[in-house]
Amino acid sequence: MSLRLVPDELWALAEPLIPRFRQRPQGGGTAPVDDRAVFTAIVYVLTSGCGWPELLTVPTAHRRFTRWTKAALWRRLHQAVLDELGSRGEVDWSRAILDAATVRAKKGRPETGPNPVDRGKPGSKIHIVSDRRGLPLAIGVSAANLHDSQALKPMLMAIPHIRSRRFRPAKLHADRAYDIDHLRRWLRHRGIIPRIARNGIDSSERLGRHRWVVERTISWLTGYRRLTIRYERHADNYCGLLTLAATLTCFKQLTKLAT
């Protein structure tokens, strides 16, 4: 089961990025749990949806997950997998698609707000930029009541500079929520052609020609059971799990190329 959750090829990319364990200056203590075992436990939580207390190594797994999140491990691992795809020409920069989806959140979590589509219940919003094929390039988390348009600039700037012939999309497709003139100007200034639906002009049929790709990506990510409801108290931890899910989604494309 552990090899199915974390294949050797994925571990080969992750292991060099993991912060090294520091022994206590005074010595003593229990022997550290193997990094690969902890990494596998984190992937198990993400895929199964179980709570941290259900793990046998819960203090170690959650503590190390938090430390690795602060060290930006998940973002760097995501870029490492994208680098592998980009170097093989498997990232399609001809267009990118931006969209958002809301998820319920437990009460008392920061970076939440009243969900406008769920009777004002606490929620968070997932922001995703994908390439033309649906590979998740960047992930973000905000309060559910944040207007989608406010995430356009941060999400485009969050796309990593991966190893490939291009490093930014030629076009950006988005729905009417992003139909703001200054955002169109900002995109053109960066050499990106805006393909944003215009209110009262573009039909929903034309709108869905490219948007379905990112909607499928959202479905892939929310298929990881731990992400369907935001249990994590800190938004950075929830974003870390989202980024790990994006990494696994991209890694599956790598495994298809190897077969």
Side-chain angles (χ1 to χ4, degrees), residues 15 132 147 153:
E15 186 178 19
R132 184 173 186 169
H147 196 274
K153 291 182 181 180

PDB file of all heavy atoms in Angstrom, residues 15 132 147 153:
ATOM      1  N   GLU A  15      12.485  13.347  -1.796  1.00  0.00           N
ATOM      2  CA  GLU A  15      13.503  13.172  -0.750  1.00  0.00           C
ATOM      3  C   GLU A  15      14.544  14.289  -0.700  1.00  0.00           C
ATOM      4  O   GLU A  15      14.867  14.799   0.382  1.00  0.00           O
ATOM      5  CB  GLU A  15      14.190  11.815  -0.917  1.00  0.00           C
ATOM      6  CG  GLU A  15      15.156  11.498   0.221  1.00  0.00           C
ATOM      7  CD  GLU A  15      15.799  10.137   0.065  1.00  0.00           C
ATOM      8  OE1 GLU A  15      15.799   9.598  -1.074  1.00  0.00           O
ATOM      9  OE2 GLU A  15      16.309   9.605   1.071  1.00  0.00           O
ATOM     10  N   ARG A 132      -3.686  24.188 -20.650  1.00  0.00           N
ATOM     11  CA  ARG A 132      -4.751  23.825 -21.592  1.00  0.00           C
ATOM     12  C   ARG A 132      -5.272  22.414 -21.359  1.00  0.00           C
ATOM     13  O   ARG A 132      -6.443  22.119 -21.589  1.00  0.00           O
ATOM     14  CB  ARG A 132      -4.226  23.963 -23.028  1.00  0.00           C
ATOM     15  CG  ARG A 132      -5.280  23.695 -24.090  1.00  0.00           C
ATOM     16  CD  ARG A 132      -4.738  24.013 -25.471  1.00  0.00           C
ATOM     17  NE  ARG A 132      -5.784  23.903 -26.487  1.00  0.00           N
ATOM     18  CZ  ARG A 132      -5.658  24.328 -27.736  1.00  0.00           C
ATOM     19  NH1 ARG A 132      -4.525  24.897 -28.125  1.00  0.00           N
ATOM     20  NH2 ARG A 132      -6.643  24.194 -28.609  1.00  0.00           N
ATOM     21  N   HIS A 147     -14.120  38.262  -3.769  1.00  0.00           N
ATOM     22  CA  HIS A 147     -14.528  38.264  -5.174  1.00  0.00           C
ATOM     23  C   HIS A 147     -13.436  37.616  -6.017  1.00  0.00           C
ATOM     24  O   HIS A 147     -12.242  37.866  -5.828  1.00  0.00           O
ATOM     25  CB  HIS A 147     -14.783  39.693  -5.662  1.00  0.00           C
ATOM     26  CG  HIS A 147     -15.545  39.754  -6.946  1.00  0.00           C
ATOM     27  ND1 HIS A 147     -14.933  39.685  -8.176  1.00  0.00           N
ATOM     28  CD2 HIS A 147     -16.881  39.847  -7.190  1.00  0.00           C
ATOM     29  CE1 HIS A 147     -15.840  39.748  -9.126  1.00  0.00           C
ATOM     30  NE2 HIS A 147     -17.040  39.846  -8.560  1.00  0.00           N
ATOM     31  N   LYS A 153      -4.519  38.487 -10.295  1.00  0.00           N
ATOM     32  CA  LYS A 153      -3.098  38.854 -10.288  1.00  0.00           C
ATOM     33  C   LYS A 153      -2.262  37.924  -9.415  1.00  0.00           C
ATOM     34  O   LYS A 153      -1.222  37.404  -9.874  1.00  0.00           O
ATOM     35  CB  LYS A 153      -2.930  40.304  -9.845  1.00  0.00           C
ATOM     36  CG  LYS A 153      -3.453  41.329 -10.844  1.00  0.00           C
ATOM     37  CD  LYS A 153      -3.197  42.744 -10.343  1.00  0.00           C
ATOM     38  CE  LYS A 153      -3.732  43.786 -11.311  1.00  0.00           C
ATOM     39  NZ  LYS A 153      -3.473  45.171 -10.823  1.00  0.00           N
TER      40      LYS A 153
END
